């Protein structure tokens, strides 16, 4: 009952803060302007994804759980990313400055791996971690895609932690729930035909960082690297789109409309919420099957899923002839 009251208070605070943010954003003109590369046709308030970071702060304020030793460092890193990313939503920062800060934050958060001597794992986490955070931001380009995919991913991770029974995992479970609450609240304003607001870099970068942290902790505790399949749909779209842009000599740090979901939205004129729901449902289906199949078959399943999604990606891109 005590936890229910705390979660209820957090929910009310998050709703009030999200509502209060709108007049502030309008007054200071914090929003996304229409450009030739936009997937929207009018000025829309951005930065509302700040609610994800606030939910983590409220969790740390209301609860006193037993957490991994890396959690306070992670929360400090999230604070740095939130500040820098929110500033970037208002005034654009240079890509290299953003990237440098992200590298420092990820390196500091997971330096415990380096201290223990697993240098190759640490380097892999650093490279893939920074890449994933940016991929999560790249994929936040149409209404509802961030929130729908985040709810599926967070719920899947929550289920995994629920199967591990000790006090540290229970603390992480308590952390995930406010994140889901914040995502659901934001989805009311974003997951619709005409979005009322966008999450902005502050929302996408911070949410990506939280999911990265939860995934790394989960993989380290279960020794099951195949869990990365929970992020495979985003990974396929991001990685191959980056390769496409590099092949054509484009600057991968500049805005574009070459992601598969952007192609479907802008060229095929499919409603944003349908594409977002499709991405989320595909990932959810993959996750559910992962838990059903035998443990020894999971890496084979990973290879099959990756091959199928890769084939689908290139078939659609070739059919559309979109540049």
């Amino acid at each position: 009952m005590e936890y229910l009251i705390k979660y209820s208070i957090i929910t009310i605070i998050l709703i009030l803060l999200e509502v209060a943010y709108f007049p502030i954003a309008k007054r200071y003109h914090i929003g996304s302007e229409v450009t030739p590369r936009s997937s929207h046709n009018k000025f829309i308030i951005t930065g509302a994804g700040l609610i994800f970071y606030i939910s983590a702060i409220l969790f740390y304020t209301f609860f006193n759980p037993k957490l991994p030793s890396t959690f306070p460092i992670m929360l400090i890193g999230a604070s740095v990313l939130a500040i820098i990313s929110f500033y970037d939503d208002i005034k654009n920062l240079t890509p290299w400055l953003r990237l440098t800060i992200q590298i420092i934050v990820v390196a500091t958060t997971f330096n415990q791996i380096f201290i223990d001597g697993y240098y190759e794992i640490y380097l892999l986490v650093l490279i893939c971690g920074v890449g994933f955070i940016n991929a999560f931001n790249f994929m936040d380009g149409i209404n509802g895609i961030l929130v729908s995919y985040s709810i599926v991913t967070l719920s899947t991770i929550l289920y995994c932690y629920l199967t591990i029974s000790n006090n540290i995992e229970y603390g992480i479970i308590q952390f995930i729930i406010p994140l889901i609450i914040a995502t659901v609240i934001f989805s009311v304003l974003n997951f619709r035909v005409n979005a009322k607001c966008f999450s902005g870099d502050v929302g996408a970068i911070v949410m990506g960082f939280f999911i990265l942290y939860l995934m790394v902790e989960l993989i380290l505790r279960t020794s099951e690297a195949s869990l990365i399949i929970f992020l495979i749909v985003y990974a396929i779209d991001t990685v191959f789109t980056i390769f496409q842009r590099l092949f054509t000599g484009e600057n991968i740090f500049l805005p574009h409309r070459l992601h598969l979901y952007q192609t479907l939205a802008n060229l095929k004129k499919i409603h944003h919420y349908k594409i977002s729901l499709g991405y989320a449902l595909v990932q959810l289906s993959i996750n559910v099957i992962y838990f059903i199949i035998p443990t020894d078959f999971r890496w084979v399943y990973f290879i099959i899923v990756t091959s199928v999604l890769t084939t689908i990606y290139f078939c659609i891109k070739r059919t559309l002839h979109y540049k």
Side-chain angles (χ1 to χ4, degrees), residues 4-182:
L4 180 60
I5 293 174
K6 289 181 178 180
Y7 287 131
S8 298
I9 293 173
I10 289 175
T11 301
I12 293 172
I13 293 174
L14 289 175
I15 292 174
L16 292 176
L17 289 176
E18 192 76 334
V19 172
Y21 177 74
F22 272 72
I24 296 174
K26 288 180 180 179
R27 178 176 180 179
Y28 293 99
H29 204 67
I30 305 174
S32 178
E33 300 285 357
V34 179
T35 69
R37 297 174 185 241
S38 301
S39 294
H40 57 283
N41 53 19
K42 65 178 180 179
F43 175 86
I44 298 179
I45 290 173
T46 192
L50 186 62
I51 190 176
F52 307 145
Y53 168 71
I54 295 175
S55 70
I57 296 300
L58 291 176
F59 155 76
Y60 209 58
T61 302
F62 280 89
F63 291 85
N64 186 30
K66 186 176 181 181
L67 290 161
S69 59
T70 53
F71 190 89
I73 300 173
M74 182 279 293
L75 198 57
I76 293 173
S79 301
V80 173
L81 291 178
I83 293 171
I84 294 301
S85 299
F86 190 66
Y87 182 83
D88 191 34
D89 284 328
I90 300 173
K91 297 182 179 180
N92 291 331
L93 294 174
T94 59
W96 288 111
L97 176 59
R98 295 199 307 266
L99 185 61
T100 301
I101 294 172
Q102 291 167 6
I103 292 173
I104 294 173
V105 168
V106 174
T108 304
T109 301
F110 299 108
N111 76 331
Q112 185 68 43
I113 302 174
F114 176 77
I115 292 174
D116 291 340
Y118 297 100
Y119 306 113
E120 68 284 355
I121 298 178
Y122 177 73
L123 183 61
L124 182 64
V125 170
L126 179 59
I127 295 173
C128 295
V130 173
F132 172 73
I133 292 173
N134 283 281
F136 216 79
N137 189 30
F138 294 158
M139 292 296 291
D140 181 31
I142 59 174
N143 304 350
I145 195 166
L146 172 70
V147 291
S148 57
Y149 199 85
S150 295
I151 289 174
V152 168
T153 305
L154 289 172
S155 299
T156 302
I157 295 174
L158 177 61
Y159 174 80
C160 291
Y161 277 108
L162 285 171
T163 63
I164 307 173
S165 48
N166 65 54
N167 291 335
I168 291 180
E169 273 63 44
Y170 187 66
I172 293 181
I173 289 170
Q174 292 176 318
F175 167 61
I176 296 175
I177 294 174
L179 287 182
I180 295 177
I181 291 173

Side-chain angles (χ1 to χ4, degrees), residues 262-281:
Q262 292 172 316
T263 300
L264 295 173
N266 299 313
L267 190 63
K268 297 297 292 182
K269 304 301 180 182
I270 300 175
H271 289 302
H272 291 194
Y273 73 91
K274 291 182 179 179
I275 300 172
S276 300
L277 189 60
Y279 269 64
L281 289 178

Side-chain angles (χ1 to χ4, degrees), residues 253-315:
F253 293 105
L254 294 178
H256 66 95
R257 302 207 302 180
L258 287 175
H259 279 294
L260 180 60
Y261 74 86
Q262 292 172 316
T263 300
L264 295 173
N266 299 313
L267 190 63
K268 297 297 292 182
K269 304 301 180 182
I270 300 175
H271 289 302
H272 291 194
Y273 73 91
K274 291 182 179 179
I275 300 172
S276 300
L277 189 60
Y279 269 64
L281 289 178
V282 169
Q283 185 65 71
L284 178 60
S285 301
I286 292 171
N287 297 356
V288 171
I289 296 174
Y290 177 87
F291 292 116
I292 296 174
I293 63 175
T295 304
D296 295 339
F297 189 68
R298 285 177 174 173
W299 274 113
V300 175
Y301 176 62
F302 178 88
I303 294 172
I304 293 173
V305 169
T306 302
S307 301
V308 170
L309 291 180
T310 299
T311 302
I312 292 173
Y313 175 90
F314 282 106
C315 284

Side-chain angles (χ1 to χ4, degrees), residues 200-232:
D201 285 358
V202 64
I205 293 291
V206 170
M207 179 60 79
F209 182 60
F210 285 152
I211 290 177
L212 170 67
Y213 174 78
L214 292 169
M215 283 294 295
V216 171
E217 284 288 340
L218 183 60
I219 291 173
L220 290 178
R221 294 179 189 285
T222 61
S223 299
E224 186 55 76
S226 62
L227 292 171
I228 58 175
I229 199 171
F230 298 157
L231 309 171
I232 193 64

